[in-house]
Amino acid sequence: MNPPTSLFPLRVAALRPMPEGVRGALVREISPCPGDLLRTTWYPADPRSCRDRLGPGALLLTWTPSPSGGMDVTARLGLDTVEVTLATWPGLHGDWTTTVHPTVYEVLGLHAALRVATDALRLANSRADT
């Protein structure tokens, strides 16, 4: 297993079950080209910690072997006050990273755009109040 802070291409890890002691792979870099770069770091599992919840804009991928011999994959997104399930892909076979890549890329872009719009609205409102 790679050290928790080192980036690794997800496609390398995606063919095997997740290692023990991790909650999933946190997406750190993603290319706009489907099937291209999707780099992650392991996200440690620590149920005793209140920091176990994903922070705003963090996207976590988890996968477990499925009865069909593939992998059941889930994507979760951290929002300001909650963590939500974005998508599930049951029974993916082989290099499943190309299947999840478009959804992950779009959601991260949408979240960034919404965050900018929210900050702009807050700034406009604060200036209007003065």
Side-chain angles (χ1 to χ4, degrees):
M1 178 170 95
N2 299 334
T5 55
S6 40
L7 287 172
F8 60 90
L10 184 61
R11 92 173 15 134
V12 170
L15 299 175
R16 297 180 301 278
M18 293 186 310
E20 287 188 38
V22 300
R23 185 170 167 217
L26 196 59
V27 176
R28 298 294 190 176
E29 294 178 22
I30 188 163
S31 164
C33 302
D36 200 3
L37 177 70
L38 203 162
R39 284 203 261 195
T40 57
T41 57
W42 290 119
Y43 192 78
D46 189 359
R48 296 167 292 147
S49 169
C50 60
R51 293 199 38 176
D52 197 41
R53 188 176 64 78
L54 295 174
L59 199 142
L60 185 73
L61 293 169
T62 59
W63 59 97
T64 55
S66 68
S68 69
M71 294 287 180
D72 292 337
V73 182
T74 301
R76 300 187 60 76
L77 177 68
L79 300 174
D80 287 339
T81 59
V82 71
E83 185 177 301
V84 296
T85 300
L86 287 175
T88 57
W89 296 269
L92 296 179
H93 290 271
D95 178 13
W96 50 260
T97 62
T98 57
T99 302
V100 304
H101 187 284
T103 301
V104 171
Y105 180 75
E106 293 293 328
V107 165
L108 288 176
L110 178 60
H111 186 272
L114 289 172
R115 186 159 221 128
V116 168
T118 301
D119 290 346
L121 185 59
R122 272 194 206 115
L123 179 60
N125 285 337
S126 71
R127 290 186 179 217
D129 291 341
T130 58

